[in-house]
Amino acid sequence: MSREIDDLLARHKRLKDQRRVWESHWQELAEVMLPRRADFTTQKMDGERRTEHLFDGTPMLARRGLAAAIDGLLKPKTARWFRVKTLDDRLGEDESVKRWLEIAEERLYRAIYSRRARFIQRSGEVDEDLVTFGTGVLFIGEGRELNRLLFRSYHLKDVVLSENADGEIDSLFITLRLTARQAAQRFGEAALGKDTREALKAGEADKEFTFLQAVMPREERDRRRRDNKNLPYASLIVDVQSVHLVSESGYHEFPFAVPRWDTSSGEVYGRSPGMIALPDANTLQQMGKTLLVAGHKAVDPPLLVGDDSVLGTPKTFPGGITTFDMQAARDLGRIPIEPLQTGFNLPLGREMQKDARDQIWAAFFRNVLQLPVDAPRMTATEVLERKEEFIRTIGPVFGRLESDYIGQVVERSFNILLRAGAFPEPPEILQGQEVIFDYASPVEQARRQIEAAGAARSVELLAPFVQADPSILDNFDGDAIARDTPEIFGMPQRWLRPKEEVDGRREGRQQADQAGALLQGAAEAAGGGAGGSGVLQQLLQGGAAQ
């Protein structure tokens, strides 16, 4: 086991050395965009002020705006942004399956957004890391009582990542800093390394020690057994100073969501909008400093004073009285005190500052963050074009985030709750079948609205041809369009009648039409003459009276 621990620590060191080049980049980003994370290459005390060198807050505002937009577009708490479905659409039509999926979806949603799960807080921290550094780390697990979900975010400085052959993150190392007392509470005193136990015995319970947690695929395991040491993913925790294995357990699936904004081939860590904005962000700080000095000079300018014209030092404070030589003033033709003209150009500086700010806002997608709306003066074509532009700009990025971020959150959370028995027994027809998740984010909704608008335009273009040949409409499934369109535009599905009820109404209407046709046919058959018609009317009236 000692050899395995040495190999684990050596692998962590190699991966950390490979990551070293990123740390200076992340530090520079954090200093101007996310100061509370600015301790990749420097040590900061808790509560220490970290913005004393900043002269413009635009980079921080732009970062906050995009992070908030990610939350609102990917996982809005005010809307149901995921749906639980069956892989086989035919199963989804069964009423018992529908009820089970609705119950599972509701319980999953409540578990994720439970106050104790801390999803909103932790995912918000990940969103800010994502837009600033390009990579975020979110743990999805169970609370200590094993009866609830628990989410944790990790500072990127403490995390080292590794990809598999398919380019997926499947191995992750986390550096943990715990006091001896905290370590004993978490792992038990008997499981700790020698140095940590000695610190406890010596009364140094608050002395800090470093631990390393490694989560990676387990290469050797007995697939017939489902205990912690034979699960697909291993979790090893090492007391680094004592080189001692503290804990060995495992996970059924990879327990982390590691979203990356954008990746380049050969790079494990993501690249971010913050990296695009960094040159302008640094320039903006220098501009802010220069304009601040220029503004001070404009409001409280330096003075030119004749060395033999003013008695004493000019009193520039409010109410100050400065005495000068009147004869010198007569000779000069003016008071011998005047502001120094430095030749500064504040309007030009402000214009350059605005250009830099606009570049930063553009890097953080400010121009496309708002979903296009149907403005009163916009034509349907203009609305459609704006939505298509929105999808082209945002769609690819949010498509990746749906897969690597919220997709991992929902699937991992569902599996945890399923194993914990949080869902009712599935109907027999559903047992052994695969369940999938559909994400209904505003981005996806905009894409589907474009599809709906395309259907309307198709019908509009076909109108002249339909007038000549109405059978063209046989190519369209009207029921499918009628049931999908309300969902696309956000109408609650409970407002739609079930298909069975719709079929029953149609059948009743068809029977009524057939009965009417039979009566009409009987009337025409019996109406050989006026007398016959009168007799039939009397019979019908008599039947109605009865």
Side-chain angles (χ1 to χ4, degrees):
M1 180 59 71
S2 178
R3 176 65 182 274
E4 293 178 2
I5 296 174
D6 290 339
D7 291 344
L8 190 68
L9 294 174
R11 184 187 178 195
H12 173 254
K13 184 178 184 303
R14 287 195 304 272
L15 292 173
K16 193 171 183 179
D17 289 341
Q18 294 171 8
R19 195 199 67 174
R20 192 88 55 191
V21 67
W22 290 91
E23 293 177 358
S24 59
H25 200 175
W26 291 337
Q27 178 69 23
E28 191 175 357
L29 286 163
E31 287 176 352
V32 293
M33 298 177 192
L34 195 56
R36 65 174 176 271
R37 295 288 210 196
D39 47 8
F40 287 95
T41 59
T42 60
Q43 291 291 332
K44 298 283 188 179
M45 298 293 293
D46 290 345
E48 182 180 350
R49 184 182 174 192
R50 303 188 181 197
T51 56
E52 66 276 2
H53 63 286
L54 298 180
F55 293 90
D56 195 301
T58 301
M60 290 187 287
L61 293 174
R63 178 266 304 162
R64 185 181 68 181
L66 182 55
I70 288 177
D71 183 73
L73 291 174
L74 274 183
K75 42 188 174 62
K77 187 178 186 300
T78 56
R80 191 62 59 87
W81 47 271
F82 63 85
R83 293 284 185 268
V84 185
K85 302 171 59 178
T86 56
L87 181 62
D88 187 346
D89 290 337
R90 293 172 297 180
L91 286 176
E93 300 298 326
D94 184 84
E95 286 300 324
S96 63
V97 172
K98 281 184 180 180
R99 285 194 297 272
W100 190 90
L101 293 176
E102 289 174 358
I103 294 172
E105 182 181 304
E106 177 62 29
R107 293 185 181 180
L108 176 59
Y109 187 83
R110 288 205 308 265
I112 290 175
Y113 281 101
S114 167
R115 178 182 59 84
R116 300 179 67 195
R118 315 274 308 168
F119 173 71
I120 295 177
Q121 295 89 335
R122 302 312 177 209
S123 65
E125 294 168 2
V126 172
D127 295 342
E128 293 189 332
D129 286 348
L130 181 62
V131 303
T132 306
F133 310 119
T135 306
V137 179
L138 180 68
F139 171 77
I140 310 117
E142 298 171 274
R144 289 188 178 183
E145 301 84 358
L146 301 180
N147 61 355
R148 61 183 174 89
L149 296 176
L150 178 66
F151 296 89
R152 290 197 193 101
S153 64
Y154 288 94
H155 195 321
L156 204 54
K157 73 170 184 178
D158 296 325
V159 176
V160 177
L161 306 175
S162 179
E163 290 183 334
N164 60 18
D166 296 328
E168 300 171 336
I169 302 294
D170 71 340
S171 298
L172 188 146
F173 295 81
I174 303 174
T175 300
L176 307 172
R177 296 171 185 84
L178 303 172
T179 65
R181 175 173 171 269
Q182 291 170 338
Q185 290 174 337
R186 183 168 176 178
F187 308 116
E189 183 176 345
L192 301 177
K194 177 182 177 182
D195 293 344
T196 312
R197 292 199 309 271
E198 289 180 352
L200 287 170
K201 294 177 181 178
E204 299 177 334
D206 293 324
K207 184 178 180 180
E208 193 173 82
F209 290 87
T210 299
F211 295 80
L212 178 68
Q213 180 178 10
V215 179
M216 64 191 72
R218 183 174 265 122
E219 297 178 357
E220 296 181 5
R221 65 188 183 96
D222 186 347
R223 297 178 181 273
R224 296 170 298 179
R225 303 180 64 180
R226 304 298 290 177
D227 60 309
N228 284 344
K229 294 185 179 181
N230 286 283
L231 294 178
Y233 284 87
S235 174
L236 307 174
I237 299 180
V238 176
D239 188 334
V240 176
Q241 184 170 322
S242 302
V243 194
H244 173 75
L245 182 64
V246 173
S247 170
E248 180 180 2
S249 59
Y251 298 100
H252 291 83
E253 52 269 326
F254 191 59
F256 296 93
V258 187
R260 293 175 286 180
W261 187 271
D262 199 4
T263 55
S264 298
S265 58
E267 293 183 348
V268 176
Y269 299 90
R271 293 188 173 270
S272 69
M275 294 178 180
I276 298 174
L278 183 59
D280 289 301
N282 287 332
T283 300
L284 194 59
Q285 303 309 318
Q286 293 301 316
M287 286 182 179
K289 183 177 181 180
T290 301
L291 288 174
L292 184 61
V293 173
H296 283 171
K297 289 181 178 179
V299 175
D300 187 12
L303 300 177
L304 286 175
V305 180
D307 61 354
D308 60 352
S309 305
V310 176
L311 304 179
T313 303
K315 310 301 188 292
T316 59
F317 54 84
I321 298 176
T322 300
T323 305
F324 59 89
D325 188 340
M326 289 298 297
Q327 185 58 46
R330 294 189 190 98
D331 294 342
L332 290 171
R334 59 177 176 79
I335 297 174
I337 301 175
E338 62 178 342
L340 174 65
Q341 301 298 325
T342 59
F344 59 82
N345 190 337
L346 271 178
L348 176 61
R350 295 287 291 173
E351 185 177 346
M352 294 174 63
Q353 187 182 50
K354 181 180 181 302
D355 289 343
R357 286 173 173 171
D358 289 343
Q359 288 288 91
I360 292 172
W361 284 116
F364 282 95
F365 296 92
R366 184 186 191 183
N367 298 334
V368 293
L369 284 181
Q370 298 296 326
L371 280 172
V373 295
D374 299 357
R377 297 183 180 179
M378 292 177 63
T379 65
T381 302
E382 289 172 336
V383 172
L384 183 61
E385 289 175 351
R386 287 190 61 191
K387 289 183 178 180
E388 288 175 343
E389 179 184 0
F390 175 82
I391 293 299
R392 284 195 302 270
T393 306
I394 291 293
V397 171
F398 279 77
R400 289 191 294 270
L401 296 182
E402 282 185 359
S403 173
D404 298 339
Y405 189 5
I406 61 173
Q408 176 70 1
V409 168
V410 173
E411 291 183 21
R412 165 79 173 153
S413 300
F414 179 85
N415 289 333
I416 290 174
L417 295 178
L418 184 64
R419 288 190 292 268
F423 304 134
E425 184 73 17
E428 186 176 351
I429 190 176
L430 187 59
Q431 294 182 11
Q433 300 296 321
E434 186 173 353
V435 170
I436 60 175
F437 304 92
D438 184 26
Y439 303 103
S441 67
V443 176
E444 176 64 16
Q445 188 177 20
R447 186 188 66 78
R448 298 182 67 184
Q449 287 176 4
I450 291 174
E451 294 177 354
R457 290 178 65 185
S458 298
V459 173
E460 182 181 351
L461 291 173
L462 288 172
F465 303 98
V466 172
Q467 290 181 354
D469 183 7
S471 64
I472 291 176
L473 292 177
D474 294 341
N475 291 282
F476 296 90
D477 188 341
D479 281 356
I481 295 173
R483 301 194 75 84
D484 288 347
T485 301
E487 180 182 357
I488 290 172
F489 287 94
M491 192 187 91
Q493 286 294 299
R494 65 178 180 275
W495 292 359
L496 288 177
R497 290 191 176 97
K499 288 184 178 180
E500 295 77 6
E501 184 178 342
V502 173
D503 292 340
R505 284 172 168 265
R506 288 176 174 173
E507 185 177 351
R509 192 161 49 242
Q510 185 178 7
Q511 291 175 355
D513 291 343
Q514 290 176 349
L518 287 174
L519 289 175
Q520 183 66 27
E524 293 177 356
S533 177
V535 171
L536 179 59
Q537 290 178 359
Q538 290 176 7
L539 289 173
L540 291 174
Q541 291 171 357
Q546 295 176 2

